[in-house]
Amino acid sequence: GQYEDVRQIFWATGAALLVRTADYFAVGGLDESFFAHMEEIDFCWRLRSRAYGIVCIPQSVVYHVGGATLNKENPRKTYLNFRNNLLMLYKNLPEKELHTTMRVRAWLDRLAILQFALKGEWKNVRAVYKASCDYRNMLPSYRSVRAANLSATVDSQPYGRFSWSLLWRYYVKRV
């Protein structure tokens, strides 16, 4: 019953996202520096934090050939997912949550590196490490992006955004 009714959601996949042109440009559109992966989540976060609604309409039918940009095994996909997630968190998290979240995230990234290493996936180890390095190198240019984004925010805890780790909810609490 999770997807049977029209309901508010925090973000929608870019493969099935319909947005008014004025709303798209009002929040700055997709972040071009992301290239691929996480850009629609960042975009939806900005929409929600500015009090725009996002709904799931289950009667819609969408056909999507997944993974056309990069296949699952491609280390570039790993790199973009890790780097873009760090950028998205930095851009959107309220100041009071940023430092704790990024410390936890640094430990989770180390665990991911360990997991990739134990599986012998050395290209993914390098991808996560490079994502972290590139994120740190991009921070100076993203400070103004973060400031502008947060100054336009009207709701720092928009509907559907979890205030604690989604991984914790899924793996530990089984919610």
Side-chain angles (χ1 to χ4, degrees):
Q2 182 178 2
Y3 300 107
E4 292 175 0
D5 300 317
V6 174
R7 61 173 23 156
Q8 292 281 331
I9 56 176
F10 180 63
W11 69 275
T13 177
L17 183 61
L18 184 65
V19 182
R20 289 181 189 94
T21 303
D23 297 344
Y24 178 86
F25 289 110
V27 300
L30 298 174
D31 186 329
E32 292 179 9
S33 65
F34 279 38
F35 167 65
H37 304 290
M38 306 270 172
E39 72 277 13
E40 78 270 40
I41 304 170
D42 169 63
F43 173 68
C44 289
W45 194 336
R46 286 181 280 125
L47 282 167
R48 294 300 276 165
S49 70
R50 289 164 176 85
Y52 290 92
I54 301 172
V55 296
C56 172
I57 302 175
Q59 296 80 8
S60 301
V61 176
V62 176
Y63 298 95
H64 177 251
V65 179
T69 306
L70 295 167
N71 68 38
K72 186 177 179 184
E73 293 77 32
N74 192 321
R76 179 84 173 142
K77 183 179 188 96
T78 302
Y79 165 81
L80 289 169
N81 277 321
F82 277 79
R83 188 204 63 183
N84 293 353
N85 188 261
L86 289 166
L87 289 171
M88 179 185 65
L89 291 171
Y90 180 73
K91 274 176 65 175
N92 293 289
L93 279 172
E95 192 63 37
K96 66 182 180 180
E97 297 177 52
L98 180 65
H99 301 292
T100 301
T101 300
M102 296 313 260
R103 277 195 300 275
V104 169
R105 178 55 202 268
W107 281 105
L108 291 173
D109 286 3
R110 289 180 184 108
L111 286 173
I113 286 173
L114 178 61
Q115 180 186 21
F116 285 133
L118 290 173
K119 293 193 293 187
E121 296 178 12
W122 301 108
K123 289 181 179 178
N124 281 325
V125 167
R126 285 189 292 278
V128 175
Y129 178 76
K130 181 173 175 15
S132 179
C133 291
D134 287 353
Y135 161 73
R136 284 192 304 275
N137 290 334
M138 293 174 79
L139 274 180
S141 66
Y142 257 78
R143 286 193 180 101
S144 62
V145 174
R146 173 178 167 75
N149 184 47
L150 294 181
S151 71
T153 294
V154 296
D155 185 359
S156 63
Q157 189 63 37
Y159 176 87
R161 184 180 158 252
F162 296 122
S163 60
W164 184 236
S165 171
L166 187 61
L167 296 174
W168 179 265
R169 288 175 52 91
Y170 182 79
Y171 289 108
V172 178
K173 295 183 84 177
R174 300 282 185 202
V175 177

